[in-house]
Amino acid sequence: MLDLLKYFQEDKNTYSALQIVLYKFDEQQSAHFIQDVLVPFRDAFISDEKIVHMIAKYNDTRPNIIKEHIPSVPNVMSGDFGEILSYYIAQCFFANDANVAPMKWRYKDDPDKASPKTDIVLCYIQDESNPSSNDKLYSIEVKTHATPPGSESSIHKAVCDADKDRTSRLAETIPYLLKRMKDTEESPDIYKKVERFKDPYSNPYLKSHNAVAVVDSSDLQKHIDNIPQGILQQYQGIDIYCIPIAHLKDIYSSIYANMPLQS
């Protein structure tokens, strides 16, 4: 798994009054970060094994196959970047016990469309052979904003959508993932593990609902200031995280540009 501990520092103090945890990016390490994430980010879209198979079957090139599986539409590039970064951040920090981690972006019909349902689902299974009430399902809603936010707050929007996950959308997501695993023949190794979370009534388990905003660090205070006063208190039980990154658009643009050539 990608180790992001050398690039991000957890900060629980700066916005503790709002119960927002920051993951501060070391911008001095930007170049190293870009190189370090190329393979893990590409892997989120398409596995190395599948690339090798497609090269042999279709006599195609590796860069071309990768390009066909990553987004080219700007808003989807931004959204997928934020989701994949949050997928790895979660496993390093607040969901580090997760041992089942579907790569939802591999299941998309169209790389230039956002993946539907809950953005990220991670699972902890105590015993693969026996469902346990200690098993845990993480839902993570991500909003990415690389430009000045105007009057909106991506933090607020992420929390509102995390509440939708909590009340209805997460229940739709597990069947969606299972169907897409079958349709794409991706992730057969974790199908049964994800299926364990299909029926929380017959097999109860723990749930953790989370909201993540990925924003340009120069706009962080605007996102904080634009949170409607008192609104976060309405969403108790949702954990809130923010990942501020300097020159966010330049960083994810560089990752997408280099992914087909170097991963």
Side-chain angles (χ1 to χ4, degrees):
M1 188 190 71
L2 176 61
D3 180 11
L4 294 177
L5 297 176
K6 55 190 171 183
Y7 300 114
F8 293 89
Q9 181 180 6
E10 188 174 65
D11 174 5
K12 295 183 177 181
N13 298 319
T14 301
Y15 294 109
S16 59
L18 294 171
Q19 297 183 310
I20 297 172
V21 176
L22 296 182
Y23 292 109
K24 293 181 175 178
F25 180 61
D26 182 358
E27 61 183 282
Q28 301 302 316
Q29 298 259 27
S30 292
H32 293 294
F33 170 75
I34 290 169
Q35 288 301 310
D36 210 10
V37 304
L38 290 178
V39 171
F41 270 62
R42 185 270 301 151
D43 192 51
F45 291 108
I46 180 171
S47 69
D48 191 62
E49 292 78 10
K50 189 168 184 177
I51 295 171
V52 171
H53 170 74
M54 294 180 76
I55 290 172
K57 186 173 182 178
Y58 299 107
N59 193 30
D60 206 343
T61 66
R62 186 180 185 91
N64 189 53
I65 290 168
I66 295 173
K67 282 182 182 179
E68 289 177 343
H69 286 80
I70 63 177
S72 59
V73 174
N75 68 316
V76 181
M77 292 171 67
S78 174
D80 281 4
F81 168 82
E83 291 175 9
I84 295 168
L85 176 61
S86 299
Y87 170 89
Y88 287 117
I89 283 279
Q91 292 175 79
C92 283
F93 292 98
F94 62 88
N96 58 10
D97 60 345
N99 50 18
V100 180
M103 289 183 164
K104 194 164 171 270
W105 311 273
R106 291 185 183 181
Y107 311 146
K108 293 202 291 183
D109 281 325
D110 184 341
D112 282 328
K113 292 183 179 178
S115 180
K117 312 297 181 183
T118 301
D119 289 335
I120 301 166
V121 169
L122 300 173
C123 313
Y124 164 72
I125 293 181
Q126 186 177 65
D127 179 352
E128 291 184 18
S129 302
N130 300 292
S132 166
S133 59
N134 292 323
D135 293 346
K136 192 172 187 178
L137 184 64
Y138 292 89
S139 68
I140 305 171
E141 186 64 29
V142 184
K143 296 298 179 187
T144 305
H145 206 117
T147 56
S151 61
E152 294 185 322
S153 168
S154 290
I155 299 169
H156 175 217
K157 291 171 70 176
V159 172
C160 290
D161 271 12
D163 187 55
K164 293 178 184 177
D165 291 333
R166 175 169 63 175
T167 56
S168 62
R169 192 161 51 197
L170 182 59
E172 302 168 356
T173 301
I174 298 301
Y176 163 80
L177 289 176
L178 294 171
K179 183 178 185 303
R180 292 305 297 156
M181 286 179 184
K182 286 182 178 177
D183 290 346
T184 61
E185 298 186 351
E186 289 277 358
S187 313
D189 55 320
I190 64 171
Y191 180 90
K192 285 294 182 183
K193 298 175 185 178
V194 175
E195 191 178 38
R196 178 264 178 269
F197 295 91
K198 188 176 180 179
D199 184 359
Y201 299 103
S202 299
N203 296 305
Y205 51 80
L206 303 172
K207 294 179 184 178
S208 171
H209 301 289
N210 305 271
V212 181
V214 182
V215 302
D216 194 287
S217 58
S218 63
D219 299 319
L220 173 59
Q221 193 57 50
K222 292 179 184 176
H223 286 280
I224 295 292
D225 293 342
N226 288 346
I227 298 172
Q229 190 167 4
I231 195 72
L232 298 183
Q233 282 68 39
Q234 297 180 21
Y235 296 101
Q236 294 297 315
I238 295 174
D239 293 326
I240 309 169
Y241 306 92
C242 185
I243 308 172
I245 299 177
H247 311 294
L248 174 58
K249 186 176 181 179
D250 291 341
I251 286 177
Y252 72 67
S253 296
S254 180
I255 291 169
Y256 281 114
N258 284 283
M259 212 184 298
L261 305 175
Q262 300 182 37
S263 68

